[in-house]
């Protein structure tokens, strides 16, 4: 059972290219990373953030910290009444309940970063990712996939943080999530870590190179450096005679 949600081209002239030049002052791009518990989202995310510039939005949760997790770094850890108060204030971009705990993305930090033109990365649960896609259709959703459910179970067992009952719940949830991966824009298989990171970075690069976001480069490509061209024309004149035109 699926869990419920909380819901013939024109020629490029300098003038037309100027219309395309929207990079300066353009809002950032929202990237949403998701996948089953235990698939390695945190590990892939950490590697990606080491290699490209992104504003990482820290999620809020009512679950207790795991060993080694730091409040304000891994998550904002809060109690349920605090979380529910922020829900009533419309303070979340998305939120969902997963295996008995609430998870959500505070809205304000994301909006501020996007307004500054920064690309933002969310690492959230599948329910929340689908909410974001409905609220922000231009968001890019990336689903991190395990090689198999058996491999996912192996990772959960060796992680040593969950009881057998909880692992079974996570696997049932994972099966539903994987069956809905077709709703996402991209799928990355996390079998070999470095390959998964490379695939993730390739998606970021491709999205950043879409023509609609490359207006400044298009405009620059049509500019003429008259001083340079005068030098080149002189070289051609000396080599071949005439004006060089």
């Amino acid at each position: 059972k699926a869990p419920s949600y909380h819901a013939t081209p024109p020629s490029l002239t300098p003038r037309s290219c100027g219309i395309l030049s929207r990079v300066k002052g353009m809002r950032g791009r929202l990237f949403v990373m998701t996948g089953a518990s235990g698939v390695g989202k945190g590990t892939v995310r950490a590697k990606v953030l080491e290699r490209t510039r992104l504003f990482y939005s820290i999620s809020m949760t009512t679950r207790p910290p795991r060993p080694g997790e730091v409040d304000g770094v891994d998550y904002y850890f809060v109690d349920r009444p605090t979380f529910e108060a922020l829900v009533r204030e419309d303070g979340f971009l998305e939120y969902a309940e997963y295996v008995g705990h609430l998870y959500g993305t505070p809205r304000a930090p994301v909006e501020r970063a996007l307004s500054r033109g920064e690309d933002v990365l969310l690492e959230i649960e599948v329910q929340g990712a689908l909410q974001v896609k409905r609220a922000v259709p231009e968001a890019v959703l990336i689903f991190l996939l395990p090689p198999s459910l058996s491999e996912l179970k192996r990772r959960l067992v060796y992680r040593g943080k969950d009881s057998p009952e909880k692992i079974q719940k996570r696997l049932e949830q994972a099966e539903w999530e994987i069956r809905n991966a077709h709703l996402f824009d991209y799928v990355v298989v996390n079998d070999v870590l470095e390959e998964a990171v490379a695939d993730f970075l390739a998606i970021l690069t491709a999205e950043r190179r879409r023509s609609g976001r490359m207006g400044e480069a298009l405009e620059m490509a049509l500019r003429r450096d008259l001083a340079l061209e005068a030098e080149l024309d002189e070289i051609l004149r000396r080599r071949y005679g005439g004006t060089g035109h």
Side-chain angles (χ1 to χ4, degrees):
K1 181 182 177 180
S4 59
Y5 301 151
H6 293 294
T8 315
S11 60
L12 281 175
T13 65
R15 178 171 295 185
S16 66
C17 200
I19 294 172
L20 289 173
S21 185
R22 300 189 302 267
V23 172
K24 293 179 181 177
M26 182 182 288
R27 276 175 66 85
R29 199 71 191 268
L30 181 59
F31 295 95
V32 183
M33 172 192 202
T34 191
S37 176
V39 76
K41 297 187 293 294
T43 303
V44 172
R45 178 250 303 163
K47 292 283 187 182
V48 167
L49 292 177
E50 288 174 0
R51 302 179 193 184
T52 191
R53 185 171 180 175
L54 287 165
F55 176 87
Y56 175 60
S57 176
I58 300 171
S59 296
M60 185 176 291
T61 182
T62 60
R63 77 159 170 79
R66 294 176 182 144
E69 288 184 328
V70 178
D71 182 49
V73 175
D74 299 285
Y75 283 94
Y76 295 114
F77 296 100
V78 299
D79 58 22
R80 185 173 281 264
T82 300
F83 192 105
E84 291 174 343
L86 199 54
V87 169
R88 291 192 293 271
E89 296 167 6
D90 195 28
F92 288 106
L93 182 63
E94 56 78 29
Y95 71 99
E97 186 158 359
Y98 180 77
V99 195
H101 298 294
L102 292 167
Y103 295 80
T105 301
R107 183 187 300 276
V110 173
E111 288 295 334
R112 286 196 297 266
L114 291 173
S115 296
R116 292 193 300 265
E118 296 182 58
D119 288 338
V120 175
L121 176 64
L122 308 183
E123 179 198 324
I124 58 179
E125 304 302 328
V126 171
Q127 294 180 56
L130 294 174
Q131 285 185 63
V132 170
K133 191 65 172 178
R134 290 195 296 272
V136 187
E138 66 272 20
V140 179
L141 269 56
I142 305 170
F143 192 99
L144 197 61
L145 196 69
S148 68
L149 283 174
S150 296
E151 170 60 18
L152 182 63
K153 182 174 182 177
R154 187 192 70 80
R155 294 179 188 181
L156 290 169
V157 169
Y158 279 93
R159 188 167 73 175
K161 296 177 179 178
D162 295 316
S163 66
E165 294 76 19
K166 200 155 204 177
I167 287 174
Q168 184 58 34
K169 280 187 178 181
R170 291 191 188 281
L171 289 172
E172 290 171 1
Q173 179 78 8
E175 182 175 355
W176 176 83
E177 291 168 345
I178 292 168
R179 292 185 186 280
N180 284 277
H182 65 279
L183 300 173
F184 292 73
D185 299 303
Y186 297 94
V187 171
V188 172
V189 179
N190 187 20
D191 187 2
V192 178
L193 175 60
E194 285 303 318
E195 292 179 5
V197 172
D199 287 347
F200 200 101
L201 290 169
I203 292 167
L204 300 184
T205 299
E207 288 293 330
R208 289 166 169 171
R209 296 298 180 268
R210 286 186 178 273
S211 60
R213 303 186 71 82
M214 293 295 289
E216 187 174 31
L218 290 169
E219 190 169 278
M220 287 290 292
L222 290 171
R223 290 182 182 176
R224 310 294 293 262
D225 184 331
L226 298 182
L228 172 61
E229 293 197 32
E231 292 178 13
L232 297 172
D233 288 343
E234 179 61 19
I235 291 171
L236 291 173
R237 186 190 66 76
R238 292 176 181 177
R239 186 179 297 168
Y240 299 106
T243 64
H245 293 287

